[in-house]
Amino acid sequence: MSVSKPEVANGFLAAYGRALQSHPIRTKVITSATLNFLGDTIAQLGIERKKKWDVARTVRYTIFGVIVAPIVHQWYIILSRRHPNLLWRLALDQLVFSPFITAFFLATMSLLEGKPNAIAHKLLNVFGPVFKRRLTVFPLIQFVNFKYVPLEYRAPYGSVIAFLWGIYMSVLANRK
């Protein structure tokens, strides 16, 4: 007896939903770390076409996924509980959290690279272009997230989007 692909997918989604209910932060940390790992690996080997995989770089992105998941989890809870108005949540997310998380990413990556002196350079020269690009993509993504995605799935939804965005950020942050 074979199991169909939809049954396997539904089984995985059901198990994932149970994991989110029983261990929300752990599940989101694993999701974020896994997608950051895959995103940077794809960025290096698929987009940048590096001949040799920079494992240390991928580990840094994976560590960032571990660090950021609980922050995003708490942010969505705070937004949902304190600001029920969709447009207010969207504005706060884009005007407060988005610049914070962009700067946090750039600073954290510099620290994980062992280059704390590079933080100022990244914030002065990379932050602006990245943030402007975020504003062309994330308001619509977050509108969908806040309007249609249940609270417990918002961080994983964001992790999937961050997987794609992370590929872009990985390439951008590692330009010489």
Side-chain angles (χ1 to χ4, degrees), residues 3-103:
V3 179
S4 71
K5 288 180 183 178
E7 288 173 357
V8 171
N10 287 339
F12 172 78
L13 291 175
Y16 188 78
R18 287 190 301 275
L20 280 173
Q21 291 296 318
S22 61
H23 304 288
I25 294 175
R26 181 188 319 162
T27 303
K28 292 169 187 176
V29 164
I30 292 168
T31 301
S32 179
T34 300
L35 290 173
N36 277 21
F37 174 89
L38 292 171
D40 186 63
T41 301
I42 290 168
Q44 285 189 54
L45 302 177
I47 296 171
E48 296 171 35
R49 302 211 183 262
K50 289 185 167 228
K51 295 190 187 316
K52 185 176 180 199
W53 180 35
D54 183 347
V55 176
R57 177 179 134 179
T58 300
V59 168
R60 290 191 297 270
Y61 282 85
T62 304
I63 291 169
F64 183 77
V66 169
I67 294 168
V68 78
I71 296 168
V72 172
H73 169 82
Q74 290 302 322
W75 174 247
Y76 287 147
I77 289 172
I78 290 166
L79 273 184
S80 182
R81 289 184 182 159
R82 293 190 182 164
H83 305 288
N85 179 284
L86 173 66
L87 293 178
W88 184 240
R89 273 186 280 159
L90 190 58
L92 284 172
D93 188 67
Q94 295 307 298
L95 299 174
V96 175
F97 193 71
S98 185
F100 160 76
I101 206 68
T102 302

Side-chain angles (χ1 to χ4, degrees), residues 118-132:
I119 294 172
H121 170 77
K122 294 273 185 171
L123 293 178
L124 290 172
N125 297 300
V126 178
F127 175 84
V130 170
F131 186 65
K132 285 179 188 174

